[in-house]
Amino acid sequence: MADKSKLTTTSGAPVPSNQDSQTAGPRGPVLLQDYQLLEKLAHQNRERIPERTVHAKGWGAHGVLKITGDLSKYTKAKALQPGAETPMLARFSTVAGEAGAADHERDVRGFALKFYTEEGNWDLVGNNTPVFFVRDPYKFPDFIHTQKRHPRTNMRSPTAMWDFWSLSPESLHQVTILMSDRGLPQDPTRMNGYGSHTYSFWNDAGERYWVKFHFKTEQGHAHYTNAESEEIVGKTREGYQEALYGKIEDGNFPRWKMQVQIMPEMDAEKTSYNPFDLTKVWPHAEYPPIDVGYFELNRNPDNYFAEIENAAFSPSNIVPGISFSPDKMLQARIFSYADAHRHRLGTHYDQIPVNRPQCPVHHYNKDGAMNVMGGLQTGNPNAYYEPNSFGGPVEDKSAQEPPLKISGDADRYDHRTGHDDYSQVRDLFVKVLEADEKERLFANIAGTWGSVPEVICERQLAEFKKVHPDYEAGVRKAWEKVKADGGYKPNAAPITEDTPQTA
Ligand code: NDP
C-alpha cells in the first residue's frame, strides 16, 4: 500500500492527533493551548465569504471559445480572429435567491463568461435575456431591494416587485420575458445567453462599431411550467448543478453558438430607439446576427469554492479591440462589479488562480488583501512607482482605442422622456409568443398577485394595456380566476395616493 501523506498544521508541522482534543483529564475541560482545536474551529467560522448580493446561487464550468467566422474588419481582438481558441470559464446563476436557494425558481439567469485571452481577461457578464428591468443605474439598488427580502417580514415581497415594476414602465420588456416560458429554463444548458449591453469593437484603422453579443444554446430551449418546477423543487433544490455537472462528467459537453450584431458607429444617431438603452433589443431585421463561432464547456471545477465561488466576473475586463458604449447601465457596472469583488474577495481578487490572467501581468498597484503573487508585479523591487529609471513596465500605445465621440451637456436627464417602452414588448407579444405561451404568461403573472394590493395590480394592468389590449385582458382574466379560486388575499400595507414616480 502506498504511503499516505501525513497530516500537518497549516504551517506545515506534523499533527499527532486529529480525533482527540487536549484536555486536563479524560472528562475535560479542554486546554487553551490546544491550538489545533482552536484553528480548526476558527477556520470553520471563516469558511464563508460574503455571498454576492445578487447572483449568489450559481453553477459553472471551464471550456473553450472557438472562432470560425471572420470579424477582423471590425475588431483587432486576438481572441476573435479566425481560428482563435481561448480557454474560458462560465458561471450561470439566479439573480434574487441566496446561495442556498432552489435552482428551479422563476428568475432571470446570469450568464457570465471569462475568456483568458493572450491580451488579458475579457469578461462578458450578461443574462439569459437580451434586455433588463431598468435603463438608469440610479434605480438599480432600489430595484434589487424589491427582489430581496422585506426588512420586516424577512420574506420576498411580490407587492414590492409589482409596485416597483408598475411605477417603472421601462421594466415591461424584461418582466414579459421573465413571466414567459423563458423565465424558467430547465437547466443552464437549455437557455441562450446575451451580453445584453451594447459594447464596441475597434480595429487597427481606428474605426469603432457598436456590437451586441448573443450565445444561442445548441441543446435547444427547454422550460418548465411553474407547476413542474414546484414538483422538481420538492425533489431536488440543486437541479441545475446536477444537470450541468452531470452532462460534463458524462462527456456530453454543452455548446453555444456565438453571434454578434454590428452597428456602424454613426447609425446610433439614426435608429428610432436608443441603441444604448438596456431595455431595448436591436431588431434582427435591421442588424442581422452574424455567426462568429461557438463555446463549449468541457471541464468541471475540481473545487467549487476555489473556481466558481471565487470567480470574479466584471464588465470592466476588456481587451484591445473591444470596448464600452455610452450605455448608462454598463458604465455603472464597470465600477460596481469590480467593487463587489474587492469587497467580497479582497483588493487583489484578480490574483486568485481562477481570476488570474493567463498572460504576463505587470502593474504598480501595491499591497492590500490577497496580494499573494509575491509582491510587486513590476519585476524589480526598485520599480514601485512610474515613471522610473529601473526598467519597470511602460505603457503600450497600441492599446489606445479610438476616441469615443460624445457630445452633450452634463445634466440629470429624465430617463422616461423620449423612450417608447411599449413597441418592442408589443413585437414580442404579437409576433413571437404563441397562443399557448401567452396563456402561460397571463397565468404566471396573475399567479404572483395573490397578495398584491389591487391598486398596484390595476396600475400594472394599465401598462399591459398600453402594450396590447389582449395583454391586459388576458392577465385580468387569469387574475379573476385566481380570485375565484380563493387565491387572492391582498396584504393590507397602506398605499399612499401620492406616487411621485408615476409617469
Ligand atoms: P425577430 O422575429 O427577428 O426575432 C425574434 C426573436 O425572439 C427570435 O429570433 C428569438 O431570439 C426570440 N424568441 C423566440 N421565441 C421567443 C420566446 N418564446 N420568448 C422570448 N424570445 C423569443 O424579431 P425582432 O428582432 O424584431 O424581435 C422581436 C422581439 O423579440 C423583440 O422585441 C424582443 O422582445 C424579442 N427578442 C429579440 C431579440 C433580438 O436580439 N432582436 C433577442 C431575443 C428576443 P433568439 O434567437 O435570441 O432566441
Side-chain angles (χ1 to χ4, degrees):
M1 204 167 74
D3 276 353
K4 286 186 177 171
S5 60
K6 295 285 194 297
L7 185 68
T8 70
T9 64
T10 49
S11 42
V15 173
S17 169
N18 196 35
Q19 318 299 323
D20 306 311
S21 49
Q22 204 176 20
T23 54
R27 296 184 174 188
V30 294
L31 300 185
L32 186 60
Q33 71 166 29
D34 189 354
Y35 182 69
Q36 292 322 310
L37 168 65
L38 302 185
E39 183 166 83
K40 228 172 148 175
L41 297 175
H43 265 273
Q44 185 181 32
N45 287 344
R46 289 163 179 77
E47 281 179 359
R48 298 289 165 268
I49 56 176
E51 71 172 39
R52 294 161 167 91
T53 306
V54 283
H55 296 275
K57 181 78 188 279
W59 322 276
H62 300 269
V64 63
L65 170 70
K66 297 191 181 181
I67 303 301
T68 53
D70 188 355
L71 293 174
S72 55
K73 76 177 196 194
Y74 303 114
T75 176
K76 62 183 272 180
K78 288 188 179 159
L80 293 177
Q81 300 311 310
E85 293 193 12
T86 304
M88 61 170 290
L89 177 76
R91 181 179 184 269
F92 312 106
S93 50
T94 45
V95 179
E98 291 88 1
D103 293 350
H104 284 99
E105 289 184 350
R106 181 170 298 281
D107 199 352
V108 171
R109 264 64 182 167
F111 200 103
L113 309 174
K114 183 183 289 295
F115 303 105
Y116 303 94
T117 89
E118 60 182 277
E119 301 173 291
N121 286 353
W122 169 40
D123 292 2
L124 268 177
V125 197
N127 282 325
N128 70 330
T129 62
V131 294
F132 194 65
F133 297 95
V134 291
R135 63 168 70 93
D136 192 311
Y138 227 0
K139 299 182 76 167
F140 186 74
D142 288 296
F143 164 64
I144 293 302
H145 289 168
T146 73
Q147 301 297 299
K148 306 294 282 193
R149 292 172 188 273
H150 186 285
R152 182 157 190 265
T153 66
N154 198 31
M155 292 187 278
R156 303 278 296 279
S157 170
T159 295
M161 293 178 208
W162 286 105
D163 192 32
F164 182 90
W165 286 336
S166 65
L167 292 167
S168 308
E170 72 269 30
S171 64
L172 269 168
H173 203 172
Q174 179 79 315
V175 166
T176 303
I177 296 174
L178 171 64
M179 294 294 161
S180 76
D181 287 357
R182 289 200 181 188
L184 223 173
Q186 286 194 1
D187 74 57
T189 72
R190 310 302 298 271
M191 63 188 194
N192 286 350
Y194 301 88
S196 302
H197 297 289
T198 297
Y199 289 85
S200 56
F201 277 158
W202 54 277
N203 60 20
D204 276 325
E207 295 160 334
R208 187 187 295 275
Y209 297 85
W210 306 118
V211 58
K212 279 198 183 279
F213 295 95
H214 303 255
F215 299 91
K216 305 286 178 67
T217 172
E218 293 196 3
Q219 291 65 243
H221 287 277
H223 315 105
Y224 284 128
T225 63
N226 284 351
E228 286 167 337
S229 81
E230 277 170 28
E231 205 173 305
I232 289 163
V233 172
K235 292 182 188 141
T236 175
R237 298 170 63 78
E238 321 296 343
Y240 273 44
Q241 180 70 11
E242 287 160 10
L244 182 65
Y245 179 83
K247 283 182 190 186
I248 294 172
E249 285 300 282
D250 290 348
N252 184 9
F253 302 142
R255 277 190 184 186
W256 285 260
K257 182 164 75 171
M258 180 175 176
Q259 295 182 320
V260 292
Q261 287 177 288
I262 304 239
M263 182 186 287
E265 188 174 23
M266 287 305 139
D267 270 26
E269 309 292 321
K270 297 188 258 172
T271 51
S272 60
Y273 49 90
N274 171 7
F276 309 118
D277 176 353
L278 187 54
T279 69
K280 301 285 189 296
V281 296
W282 295 356
H284 288 156
E286 290 176 29
Y287 297 97
I290 301 167
D291 288 348
V292 177
Y294 65 92
F295 78 79
E296 177 181 274
L297 298 181
N298 51 24
R299 180 164 63 86
N300 278 316
D302 288 326
N303 183 296
Y304 179 87
F305 181 86
E307 294 162 61
I308 304 301
E309 187 67 6
N310 269 347
F313 300 88
S314 173
S316 52
N317 285 341
I318 50 167
V319 292
I322 302 172
S323 188
F324 308 124
S325 81
D327 178 344
K328 298 175 196 181
M329 288 290 290
L330 172 60
Q331 295 276 329
R333 292 177 77 218
I334 291 166
F335 161 73
S336 67
Y337 276 57
D339 191 54
H341 302 314
R342 283 188 284 266
H343 162 65
R344 204 169 61 83
L345 302 166
T347 311
H348 294 273
Y349 61 86
D350 37 23
Q351 293 187 17
I352 296 171
V354 74
N355 300 322
R356 223 177 259 176
Q358 296 181 10
C359 65
V361 176
H362 304 292
H363 58 72
Y364 291 91
N365 294 331
K366 203 166 171 282
D367 303 353
M370 300 304 296
N371 190 356
V372 293
M373 296 263 304
L376 284 169
Q377 303 292 301
T378 65
N380 181 341
N382 292 320
Y384 59 97
Y385 54 87
E386 219 267 323
N388 65 66
S389 309
F390 301 101
V394 293
E395 59 209 20
D396 175 359
K397 293 283 188 212
S398 73
Q400 180 59 51
E401 65 179 296
L404 193 58
K405 300 186 181 87
I406 308 172
S407 64
D409 298 329
D411 204 347
R412 293 189 183 276
Y413 292 92
D414 181 352
H415 73 274
R416 291 285 172 71
T417 55
H419 292 284
D420 169 3
D421 290 321
Y422 307 101
S423 297
Q424 290 200 353
V425 196
R426 193 173 303 126
D427 286 346
L428 176 65
F429 184 78
V430 174
K431 293 196 295 191
V432 180
L433 300 184
E434 304 283 347
D436 58 333
E437 190 172 355
K438 285 195 182 92
E439 289 302 319
R440 288 191 291 277
L441 168 72
F442 303 148
N444 289 340
I445 292 170
T448 66
W449 282 4
S451 59
V452 181
E454 195 148 2
V455 63
I456 293 175
C457 302
E458 289 292 349
R459 193 197 291 142
Q460 185 68 51
L461 284 164
E463 290 300 320
F464 291 147
K465 195 168 190 171
K466 290 183 204 165
V467 175
H468 198 281
D470 291 354
Y471 196 171
E472 190 258 1
V475 178
R476 187 176 290 283
K477 193 171 156 205
W479 189 30
E480 293 303 332
K481 184 169 182 315
V482 172
K483 288 177 180 171
D485 293 345
Y488 186 58
K489 296 188 179 63
N491 65 31
I495 303 281
T496 60
E497 288 302 314
D498 179 21
T499 50
Q501 286 295 302
T502 311

